[in-house]
């Protein structure tokens, strides 16, 4: 049975999810100097990870694939690379949610850090296999993403009850 109050809470939550992903995708492609671009955190994936962790009912594998395809198109990578990496992240989070029942800020940061590492490793492997390219400087982006996770948590936590 669906309760009326849950219907009212779903609309604003879905709007918050969509808007946060749009803002994150804008931040991912915002032009920066070459020195700052290597330090840019992976905001879109971080927001996706947040919603995968805290709203698994609304955000899942299909959403991860869709966000990954959009990221491929926005960042001009080979179609499917970021989508595959995003699906792997969603899978890791779904598996870890079996073991981690209550997410504190620290446990969310640890799971998000693992997911970010999995995402970056997948991208490195896919880019090495398909293009023969290894972008080691993206490790700085990975470190910045892990370090700035509390900002994403702080910004989006108010939408989770």
């Amino acid at each position: 049975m669906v309760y009326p109050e849950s219907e009212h809470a779903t609309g604003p939550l879905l709007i918050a999810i969509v808007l946060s992903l749009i803002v994150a995708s804008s931040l991912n492609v915002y032009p920066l100097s070459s020195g700052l671009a290597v330090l840019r955190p992976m905001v879109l994936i971080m927001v996706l990870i947040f919603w995968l962790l805290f709203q698994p009912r609304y955000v899942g594998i299909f959403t991860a694939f869709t966000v990954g395809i959009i990221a491929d198109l926005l960042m001009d990578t080979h179609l499917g690379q970021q989508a595959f990496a995003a699906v792997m992240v969603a899978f890791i989070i779904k598996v870890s949610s079996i073991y981690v029942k209550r997410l504190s800020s620290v446990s969310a940061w640890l799971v998000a850090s693992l997911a970010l590492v999995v995402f970056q490793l997948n991208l490195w492997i896919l880019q090495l296999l398909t293009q023969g390219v290894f972008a080691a400087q993206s490790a700085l982006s990975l470190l910045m993403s892990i370090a700035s996770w509390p900002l994403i948590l702080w910004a989006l936590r108010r939408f989770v009850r």
Side-chain angles (χ1 to χ4, degrees):
M1 177 173 190
V2 177
Y3 297 101
E5 61 268 13
S6 67
E7 290 176 8
H8 297 293
T10 302
L13 177 64
L14 292 178
I15 291 170
I17 291 170
V18 170
L19 285 178
S20 66
L21 289 169
I22 290 170
V23 169
S25 64
S26 299
L27 290 173
N28 251 20
V29 296
Y30 188 80
L32 295 174
S33 67
S34 59
L36 288 177
V38 296
L39 296 175
R40 178 194 322 254
M42 299 177 277
V43 181
L44 184 58
I45 281 299
M46 292 168 59
V47 170
L48 175 66
I49 289 169
F50 176 85
W51 292 120
L52 283 165
L53 284 171
F54 292 101
Q55 289 299 326
R57 181 176 178 189
Y58 300 109
V59 178
I61 304 274
F62 179 74
T63 306
F65 178 76
T66 304
V67 167
I69 289 291
I70 291 169
D72 283 326
L73 295 171
L74 286 174
M75 295 195 255
D76 200 29
T77 56
H78 283 141
L79 194 61
Q81 286 183 346
Q82 294 203 34
F84 177 78
V87 167
M88 292 305 295
V89 163
F91 177 73
I92 292 293
I93 289 174
K94 293 291 182 188
V95 169
S96 68
S97 70
I98 295 170
Y99 300 106
V100 181
K101 294 295 179 195
R102 299 293 270 148
L103 278 174
S104 66
S105 295
V106 174
S107 61
W109 179 74
L110 290 172
V111 172
S113 297
L114 173 67
L116 287 165
V117 168
V118 165
F119 181 80
Q120 190 59 57
L121 284 174
N122 273 296
L123 280 183
W124 278 334
I125 291 168
L126 288 171
Q127 289 171 350
L128 193 60
L129 291 175
T130 61
Q131 302 160 322
V133 174
F134 179 72
Q137 70 271 15
S138 56
L140 294 173
S141 176
L142 174 62
L143 293 175
M144 286 299 293
S145 298
I146 292 170
S148 60
W149 169 256
L151 292 173
I152 297 293
L153 194 60
W154 172 78
L156 295 177
R157 194 96 192 229
R158 65 183 64 128
F159 297 107
V160 179
R161 307 241 182 234

